[in-house]
Structures are given as C-alpha cells and as structure tokens.
Amino acid sequence: TIPSDRLLPCSDTQLQNLPSMVLVQRFTPDPDGFSDDGLAICEDGYWWLSPACRDTPSRCIPFITAGNGWLLGGTMQRAIAYNMPIAVTTASTFEDLQDLVLTHRVTYYNWEP
C-alpha cells in the first residue's frame, strides 16, 4: 500500500484544474470519472481510477508523477482510450516520487533517465 501522506491530495493537482480536465474529456469522454463541474473524481481524495479498474481498484496499476501532476492528462486519456487499468496520483515531493518508485511496484513519469 502506498501511504497517502506521501501523496498530494487531488485538490492540489492538475486533477482539479478545469482547463486540463476539459482537454482530457474532449477526446476521451468518461462521465463517471468526472464531476458535473468537469473535475476529476478522486473517491479517496488522492487517486483517480480509470474506467477499466474503477469497479475493482485492486486491479489498478499505480501511476505516480510529481510537481502539480506532470503528464496526468495524457496518462488519463490513454487509460480511458485503451481501457488500461490505471490509477493516477501525484507524489508530495520529487523525493517522495523517487522513494515510491524504488520501494513500490508502480509506473511513473520522469523527464530524464
């Protein structure tokens, strides 16, 4: 289990940025993954679950990024379009991202090798 104290709440990330989420939904509609006002729904406050694993969260493959949610929109679009069981979140700090990647089985975004 990935500890939530190492993650940013969705409210502090691109998941709650309306222009970013409008772009996600424009090309990959997912009415159950977004609120009526167009923001991503994070049931637990930290993770957005793709449609492929929303009913069974234990099937989700964790995707972690850092900053304010680098590459979240593109990852969400791919997860919706290709029916990928992905759960997206953002690490609290870059150091948390590095540690979580080393200590958990996750996919992640980083801008350099």
Side-chain angles (χ1 to χ4, degrees), residues 20-105:
S20 295
M21 294 300 101
V22 165
L23 288 175
V24 171
Q25 296 173 75
R26 178 180 298 155
F27 301 107
T28 48
D30 173 23
D32 295 332
F34 297 88
S35 64
D36 290 339
D37 58 1
L39 301 175
I41 296 172
C42 300
E43 292 292 336
D44 70 348
Y46 294 92
W47 295 88
W48 176 85
L49 308 181
S50 72
C53 64
R54 201 168 285 144
D55 291 335
T56 312
S58 62
R59 290 190 57 236
C60 290
I61 299 165
F63 172 86
I64 303 175
T65 187
N68 66 347
W70 305 319
L71 200 66
L72 282 180
T75 301
M76 293 166 75
Q77 286 181 316
R78 286 187 283 285
I80 296 165
Y82 297 111
N83 200 34
M84 298 165 60
I86 302 234
V88 299
T89 193
T90 304
S92 293
T93 65
F94 184 68
E95 291 75 22
D96 283 333
L97 173 67
Q98 291 174 314
D99 184 60
L100 291 169
V101 165
L102 292 173
T103 58
H104 294 80
R105 292 182 54 129

